[in-house]
Amino acid sequence: MGIFGITCLLVLANYVLGKPVNHLLKNIGDVNWKEKTSELWEKLKPYARMAGRAAAKPVLTLYFVLKDGDLSISEKVMVYAAMIYVLSLWDLLPASVYSVLGVLDDGVAVSYVYKKISEKITDEIRFKVEETLNEWFGDGTFAEVVE
């Protein structure tokens, strides 16, 4: 995950807890967001296969908002953090140990960020999300997207 990912997760945790984040945002520096979103895309497809259409939809929406939306640096960091939290193997409450609680923490992260950036979800982004989900799950099965 690296220092950048850990810093993003700390920013998200501080937002959720209502604590200041400016001191953490100073550590972000120059980021190639195009590269970061590309890395997320590679993790998103296998996640969608495992999680299913309903669970993939909000995460895919966050992806397109990060990729195409007009976000501030703090919003980008929050979206990225929520996505890496859900898509990475690292988990504060692993589902294998904590069962339902292990799934809920992922949902809380995504829901919190989704609500914070909901006004940035344009009709174009909604269309891209539905189009991608239809490509992946159109007939009820996952089909690999040919790029």
Side-chain angles (χ1 to χ4, degrees), residues 2 5 7-8 32 38 50 63 78 81-82 91-92 95 103 111 128 140-141:
T7 302
C8 289
N32 182 340
S38 178
M50 181 214 44
Y63 168 80
M78 275 197 309
D91 204 345
L92 185 62
V103 175
S111 296
K128 286 181 181 181
T141 61

Side-chain angles (χ1 to χ4, degrees), residues 41 60-69 125 128-129 132:
W41 181 253
L60 187 59
T61 301
L62 291 181
Y63 168 80
F64 280 117
V65 170
L66 181 62
K67 183 177 181 281
D68 301 332
I125 288 171
K128 286 181 181 181
V129 169
T132 303

Side-chain angles (χ1 to χ4, degrees), residues 8 11-12 15 21-22 25 28 33 71-81 113 117:
C8 289
V11 168
L12 179 58
Y15 269 122
V21 297
N22 289 338
L25 290 173
I28 296 295
W33 287 104
L71 301 177
S72 68
I73 294 298
S74 62
E75 290 170 328
K76 286 179 181 181
V77 169
M78 275 197 309
V79 170
Y80 183 82
V113 174
I117 56 91

Side-chain angles (χ1 to χ4, degrees), residues 40-134:
L40 289 172
W41 181 253
E42 294 307 313
K43 294 178 181 181
L44 186 55
K45 291 187 279 185
Y47 168 80
R49 176 181 297 187
M50 181 214 44
R53 183 182 185 111
K57 185 174 182 174
V59 180
L60 187 59
T61 301
L62 291 181
Y63 168 80
F64 280 117
V65 170
L66 181 62
K67 183 177 181 281
D68 301 332
D70 181 28
L71 301 177
S72 68
I73 294 298
S74 62
E75 290 170 328
K76 286 179 181 181
V77 169
M78 275 197 309
V79 170
Y80 183 82
M83 291 189 69
I84 62 170
Y85 188 73
V86 170
L87 299 175
S88 73
L89 297 176
W90 184 87
D91 204 345
L92 185 62
L93 300 172
S96 60
V97 176
Y98 296 101
S99 187
V100 174
L101 287 177
V103 175
L104 288 178
D105 66 325
D106 291 356
V108 167
V110 170
S111 296
Y112 177 83
V113 174
Y114 193 97
K115 184 176 178 181
K116 287 288 189 184
I117 56 91
S118 62
E119 72 280 353
K120 308 285 178 128
I121 304 170
T122 64
D123 289 340
E124 182 180 336
I125 288 171
R126 285 185 190 91
F127 178 78
K128 286 181 181 181
V129 169
E130 288 303 321
E131 186 176 54
T132 303
L133 290 171
N134 288 339

